Amino acid sequence: MRGGDGPPVLFLHGAGGAGAWLPFMERLAENHRVTVPDHPGYGNSGTPDWLDDLTDLAFFYLDFLEAEGLSDVHLVGGSLGGWIAAEMAIRDSSRLASLTLVAAAGIHVDGVPKGDLFLWTPEERIHNLFHDQALAEARLAVEPTDEEADIGLKNEFTTAKLAWSPRFYNPQLRKWIHRITLPTLIVWGDDDRIFPAEYAAAWHELIPGSKVAVIPDCGHLPHVEKADAFLDNFNRFIAEIRS
Amino acid sequence: MKICLFHLMPYGALDLNYTEKYSSAWMSLPNSYYDPKEGHKLYNRYLDELEYGDELGFDVLCVNEHHQTAYGLMAVPGVLAGALARRTKRAKIAVLGRALPLINNPLNVAEEYAILDNITGGRLIAGFVRGIGAEYHITGANPAKSHERFHEAHDLILRAWTEIGPFDHQGKHFQFQYVNLWPRPFQQPHPEIWIPSQGSTETIEWAAHPDRKYTYLQTFSAVDVVKRFHNEVKQAAERYGYEASPDQLGWALPIYVAETDEIARKEAAAHIEAFFNKFLRMPTEMLLPPGYTSVQSIKRLRAIRRGTTSDKPPSCDDFMERGMFICGSAETVRETLAHHRQDIGFNVLVGMMQFGTLPADLTRKSMTMFAEKVMPYLRGQKVASPAA
């Protein structure tokens, strides 16, 4: 999915897939050229034979930036997409202008229990994505089409391939995060039931000079549940880089 | 007919009220529910039961592999098979594990099986399985890579058994610079191989391949499901251009025999209900992790599970009606089994004579009656070769 014009933004989706063109994408597209790909193995993308683990996607997207001739890209990743973004940034940030990690997977913090997406029922999963349970109920009230259900299973299959064990992190990532010298924004919901907000502090500590925004009354999807607060923080962050 | 005695070695002392607090007897049930004093008694009792099976004339004694569960306490089946290896002299010993994708060094399995085969002088039957869904949560093995790992591990074990080493193996999931198995298996070229499964198309096609022709063992399923999957084996064999032998078809199920149908039902009911409804209880997310089987199979299996979920747990009568449990007088049991055998054409019968909480005295009584009054009849039965 693509939209808008202006400085390029590449948004990397999480384990649930890219889904539809969401309001926050539309508003980002008001002054950015926004690209939201389905990762290989997700949504309508094919599942290539070379896809074995998450770092394959990091190299894939570095190649993608090169193939598209994109530079000065604002890279934004949510959850599993944030993990891909971090794996890209430690390898090669020459085409990147900034990094925004939204409730990013990829690291482990001792003593902070995470939710287990793979053990929750589909209903529990939706409830645990949101702080505002009315939003969860609204999402559960919509019965997915057969096609959407198939894509959901395909997304789960690929997520297991990439993030089953260790659960949603790479033990090697942490020791190379010091290579990230890009302007970095870390966005988290204060009521994230998958990766609790302590993870925001851990990322902040690992990336010196990073900015952190913990959004109140918000779950795992700040860009969805609190799009205004997410965009305020993002736009302010981008404006500061430019000035 | 090969008549086999199967044991799960469940934690029979389990407090069945655990379901008030926990959703499953697998992985999430705290091991404070396990009392080692009870465990000591149970392991020895269960081994006695398997040894008694040898005396009674069962052809094969089967042990099993499961992890972190009250459902079955044989996490390291080679230990139990090893105990039987020296105490039995006649029956074969089948290890109906080992879950290859869960293991980081498949050569450990090649060694374990080769040792058992050497001690017993060739009485080992080698089982290979993928492991149940919960075991992917427990071991961290990736369910989305399960089939790949299974095939690579199997191929490596077969090579280690049949090729003179040292050789190297550079695979996708396993890499070894030096493979040179000591001991080599007693049976040449290698022990007989059985593949227990809940019924996956991929597994059936693979087991029936002319290079393998392994015994496909359908476990704990309704009789119509057994028939369907056995037919799939026959059809797969036909596509490969040969006729499946009845020895390629096995069925594993709980069986109980008593003096009359009524006594049998009365004695077994609570214990078989505990087996299916308490010990085997598992949420879908535990049983079917993503990638464990193809997207199409997962859809089919999830739909079946949704269809069978009701507020009231199924009863002994329900299990008997579906043919998941054969229970009755010796006459009823032998006629039911003979009928299904005639109808389906399997030649390997794997009877689980202890299930759930069934106590020692009833287990022995049922085993004895089965051996005296059912087994001879099944051995004498003539069966036409199976039609696909």
Side-chain angles (χ1 to χ4, degrees):
Chain A
M1 296 185 284
R2 290 177 197 268
D5 204 9
V9 168
L10 176 64
F11 178 82
L12 301 179
H13 66 73
W21 185 253
L22 294 168
F24 88 91
M25 298 172 187
E26 185 61 35
R27 286 172 57 191
L28 271 179
E30 284 167 11
N31 45 11
H32 295 92
R33 179 182 165 197
V34 180
T35 305
V36 185
D38 278 328
H39 304 327
Y42 285 84
N44 291 312
S45 291
T47 302
D49 288 339
W50 52 258
L51 183 59
D52 290 313
D53 65 40
L54 189 117
T55 59
D56 290 324
L57 290 183
F59 284 114
F60 170 83
Y61 279 117
L62 288 171
D63 281 359
F64 172 82
L65 293 181
E66 198 179 319
E68 295 274 306
L70 290 170
S71 56
D72 288 322
V73 175
H74 297 293
L75 179 60
V76 184
S79 193
L80 178 129
W83 178 8
I84 301 169
E87 297 275 5
M88 290 168 72
I90 64 166
R91 284 166 172 78
D92 178 7
S93 58
S94 60
R95 289 176 181 274
L96 304 179
S98 74
L99 175 65
T100 300
L101 302 175
V102 187
I107 60 168
H108 174 76
V109 180
D110 278 340
V112 182
K114 288 174 281 193
D116 189 351
L117 272 177
F118 291 119
L119 210 47
W120 288 333
T121 64
E123 292 75 25
E124 287 171 330
R125 222 178 292 156
I126 302 293
H127 282 296
N128 287 330
L129 279 177
F130 294 99
H131 166 79
D132 180 355
Q133 288 304 300
L135 292 172
E137 293 298 344
R139 188 177 279 204
L140 285 166
V142 184
E143 187 74 24
T145 64
D146 284 352
E147 196 195 350
E148 285 166 345
D150 281 1
I151 285 178
L153 284 171
K154 174 181 172 179
N155 292 349
E156 282 180 35
F157 195 131
T158 303
T159 300
K161 191 184 265 185
L162 304 176
W164 182 263
S165 183
R167 279 291 206 268
F168 286 95
Y169 77 101
N170 173 4
Q172 310 300 324
L173 174 60
R174 189 183 266 268
K175 66 186 175 195
W176 298 111
I177 291 180
H178 68 86
R179 286 174 53 87
I180 300 177
T181 51
L182 289 166
T184 300
L185 171 67
I186 294 154
V187 185
W188 231 270
D190 70 340
D191 186 23
D192 188 323
R193 299 173 195 182
I194 297 173
F195 310 123
E198 284 91 335
Y199 272 76
W203 278 107
H204 175 55
E205 204 173 303
L206 287 164
I207 306 177
S210 57
K211 299 206 165 353
V212 183
V214 176
I215 297 173
D217 299 330
C218 179
H220 184 60
L221 306 171
H223 47 299
V224 177
E225 184 163 3
K226 297 280 181 187
D228 288 345
F230 169 75
L231 288 162
D232 284 351
N233 279 287
F234 180 76
N235 289 330
R236 209 177 313 129
F237 167 64
I238 300 298
E240 278 172 25
I241 296 170
R242 291 218 186 100
S243 64
Chain B
M1 180 177 231
K2 274 183 204 151
I3 301 174
C4 319
L5 174 64
F6 179 84
H7 222 306
L8 270 175
M9 300 199 178
Y11 184 62
L14 180 65
D15 173 5
L16 299 180
N17 293 322
Y18 85 83
T19 44
E20 288 164 15
K21 284 195 202 155
Y22 299 98
S23 62
S24 176
W26 295 70
M27 82 188 240
S28 54
L29 180 68
N31 59 3
S32 53
Y33 277 77
Y34 180 86
D35 175 354
K37 289 194 181 67
E38 290 294 335
H40 167 70
K41 284 190 274 183
L42 286 170
Y43 274 116
N44 285 285
R45 175 197 142 192
Y46 292 155
L47 283 166
D48 287 345
E49 286 168 3
L50 284 163
E51 288 171 24
Y52 183 50
D54 187 41
E55 279 173 47
L56 289 173
F58 282 89
D59 300 302
V60 184
L61 310 173
C62 309
V63 299
N64 177 257
E65 175 186 355
H66 284 299
H67 299 268
Q68 299 189 17
T69 173
Y71 174 79
L73 297 175
M74 287 185 270
V76 189
V79 173
L80 290 313
L84 293 172
R86 291 278 300 167
R87 297 273 295 177
T88 62
K89 296 290 175 224
R90 195 196 46 79
K92 288 207 161 201
I93 297 169
V95 181
L96 301 182
R98 300 247 26 206
L100 301 183
L102 309 183
I103 292 162
N104 289 321
N105 183 354
L107 295 171
N108 289 156
V109 176
E111 290 167 335
E112 178 184 317
Y113 280 176
I115 293 170
L116 286 165
D117 202 37
N118 277 262
I119 294 174
T120 58
R123 286 191 287 129
L124 180 80
I125 293 172
F128 295 128
V129 299
R130 288 203 297 129
I132 211 161
E135 288 160 342
Y136 287 79
H137 286 278
I138 291 160
T139 59
N142 195 321
K145 298 172 184 175
S146 166
H147 280 293
E148 282 180 10
R149 284 172 69 90
F150 179 86
H151 291 141
E152 189 181 330
H154 164 273
D155 293 352
L156 175 59
I157 291 168
L158 268 281
R159 265 191 87 190
W161 280 346
T162 54
E163 271 182 43
I164 296 303
F167 60 82
D168 73 326
H169 173 84
Q170 312 297 343
K172 179 172 175 187
H173 298 285
F174 309 106
Q175 300 82 26
F176 298 99
Q177 192 59 43
Y178 304 105
V179 180
N180 187 13
L181 206 70
W182 288 74
R184 292 164 59 213
F186 185 89
Q187 297 175 81
Q188 291 295 318
H190 59 75
E192 187 180 338
I193 292 170
W194 287 8
I195 307 295
S197 171
Q198 284 268 307
S200 112
T201 308
E202 295 98 325
T203 303
I204 288 172
E205 291 284 332
W206 177 84
H209 189 278
D211 291 349
R212 293 180 275 272
K213 297 188 181 177
Y214 295 157
T215 296
Y216 173 82
L217 195 64
Q218 183 71 31
T219 55
F220 305 149
S221 307
V223 67
D224 57 327
V225 174
V226 177
K227 184 172 178 173
R228 187 165 89 224
F229 288 124
H230 280 186
N231 277 335
E232 283 190 21
V233 174
K234 294 176 209 169
Q235 286 155 6
E238 258 177 33
R239 278 195 299 279
Y240 287 128
Y242 74 94
E243 189 183 330
S245 141
D247 287 334
Q248 278 173 259
L249 305 175
W251 180 16
L253 80 164
I255 298 171
Y256 189 76
V257 189
E259 294 77 357
T260 66
D261 288 352
E262 200 173 293
I263 294 172
R265 213 199 131 281
K266 203 171 151 213
E267 287 177 344
H271 307 295
I272 198 69
E273 286 167 11
F275 171 69
F276 281 114
N277 299 334
K278 301 285 185 173
F279 287 87
L280 197 44
R281 182 186 169 96
M282 221 187 292
T284 302
E285 285 65 30
M286 237 185 233
L287 183 69
L288 294 172
Y292 177 70
T293 185
S294 66
V295 166
Q296 287 311 315
S297 302
I298 288 230
K299 270 170 72 176
R300 202 177 60 206
L301 290 165
R302 285 188 180 169
I304 291 171
R305 272 176 77 83
R306 268 197 295 277
T308 53
T309 307
S310 72
D311 293 342
K312 207 164 141 260
S315 68
C316 177
D317 290 340
D318 296 326
F319 298 123
M320 287 169 67
E321 208 168 289
R322 291 180 210 158
M324 299 171 84
F325 176 45
I326 295 182
C327 170
S329 67
E331 195 184 8
T332 300
V333 169
R334 73 189 180 207
E335 273 169 17
T336 309
L337 282 169
H339 164 75
H340 291 320
R341 185 184 177 201
Q342 195 70 54
D343 182 37
I344 300 172
F346 57 87
N347 206 34
V348 178
L349 176 70
V350 178
M352 181 169 71
M353 307 300 293
Q354 193 283 336
F355 38 82
T357 46
L358 190 73
D361 55 341
L362 295 182
T363 304
R364 278 188 178 250
K365 180 167 76 103
S366 168
M367 282 171 67
T368 311
M369 293 180 105
F370 180 87
E372 286 173 359
K373 296 178 179 163
V374 179
M375 224 190 265
Y377 179 86
L378 293 174
R379 292 202 195 286
Q381 188 190 10
K382 295 264 186 296
V383 177
S385 79

